[in-house]
């Protein structure tokens, strides 16, 4: 093999590798788009997972090897309490739901009215204890 033949072969391999990477990137973009489409109805909703209230801000995904990982960016309602006492305050904390939790959230979507009632009841309890 001459050096020119070697350079041609390397160039051919480079173009093959470029096509493979481009194809991989295209597949990853398609998977991310499909995840967003699949869970679009959850964005902007309140839900309960294991008796905790969450607000779903975004659902996204990524590929990890052969697996596809789906994650929901949420805000979790946290009650600020002293040990064994009534709530002193409320705040929303960032939290990521995995795929299994996201499926449970999908089954437990709360209406705006139910979420409002829950929040109002907690605020009323705090105000009564203040």
């Amino acid at each position: 093999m001459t050096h020119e033949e070697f350079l041609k072969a390397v160039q051919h391999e480079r173009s093959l590798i470029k096509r493979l990477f481009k194809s991989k990137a295209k597949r990853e973009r398609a998977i991310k788009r499909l995840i967003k489409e699949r869970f679009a109805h959850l964005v902007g909703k309140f839900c309960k997972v294991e008796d905790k209230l969450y607000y779903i801000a975004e659902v996204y995904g990524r590929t990890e090897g052969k697996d596809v990982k789906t994650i929901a960016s949420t805000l979790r309602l946290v009650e600020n309490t002293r040990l064994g006492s009534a709530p002193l305050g409320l705040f929303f904390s960032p939290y990521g739901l995995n795929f299994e939790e996201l499926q449970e959230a999908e089954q437990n979507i709360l209406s705006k009215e139910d979420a409002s009632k829950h929040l109002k009841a907690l605020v009323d309890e705090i105000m009564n204890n203040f």
Side-chain angles (χ1 to χ4, degrees):
M1 175 184 281
T2 66
H3 188 67
E4 289 175 14
E5 292 173 61
F6 169 75
L7 290 176
K8 282 184 180 180
V10 168
Q11 185 60 34
H12 176 73
E13 288 300 317
R14 282 186 183 159
S15 64
L16 177 64
I17 290 171
K18 279 183 184 179
R19 281 185 282 162
L20 288 175
F21 279 122
K22 189 181 276 188
S23 177
K24 181 180 176 186
K26 189 176 181 180
R27 282 192 312 270
E28 286 181 8
R29 281 193 306 270
I31 288 170
K32 289 177 183 180
R33 180 182 50 77
L34 289 170
I35 289 170
K36 283 189 178 265
E37 286 177 15
R38 163 67 177 88
F39 293 106
H41 67 284
L42 293 178
V43 175
K45 303 278 174 122
F46 281 95
C47 64
K48 277 197 172 184
V49 177
E50 298 176 5
D51 292 329
K52 293 181 181 148
L53 186 68
Y54 294 90
Y55 174 79
I56 300 174
E58 179 186 14
V59 179
Y60 61 93
R62 65 176 179 256
T63 56
E64 292 181 354
K66 293 183 179 181
D67 296 330
V68 176
K69 190 168 186 176
T70 304
I71 302 167
S73 293
T74 66
L75 296 173
R76 180 179 65 180
L77 180 66
V78 179
E79 297 177 29
N80 190 6
T81 62
R82 290 190 185 143
L83 291 176
S85 66
L88 300 172
L90 300 171
F91 63 93
F92 282 95
S93 173
Y95 189 80
L97 295 177
N98 62 30
F99 184 71
E100 291 78 22
E101 292 169 326
L102 190 57
Q103 287 181 315
E104 184 178 340
E106 191 172 28
Q107 301 301 317
N108 298 312
I109 294 174
L110 298 176
S111 67
K112 287 182 183 180
E113 294 80 21
D114 289 341
S116 295
K117 285 178 189 176
H118 181 73
L119 289 170
K120 185 173 179 349
L122 290 172
V123 169
D124 289 344
E125 185 177 348
I126 291 169
M127 294 308 291
N128 288 336
N129 295 324
F130 186 65

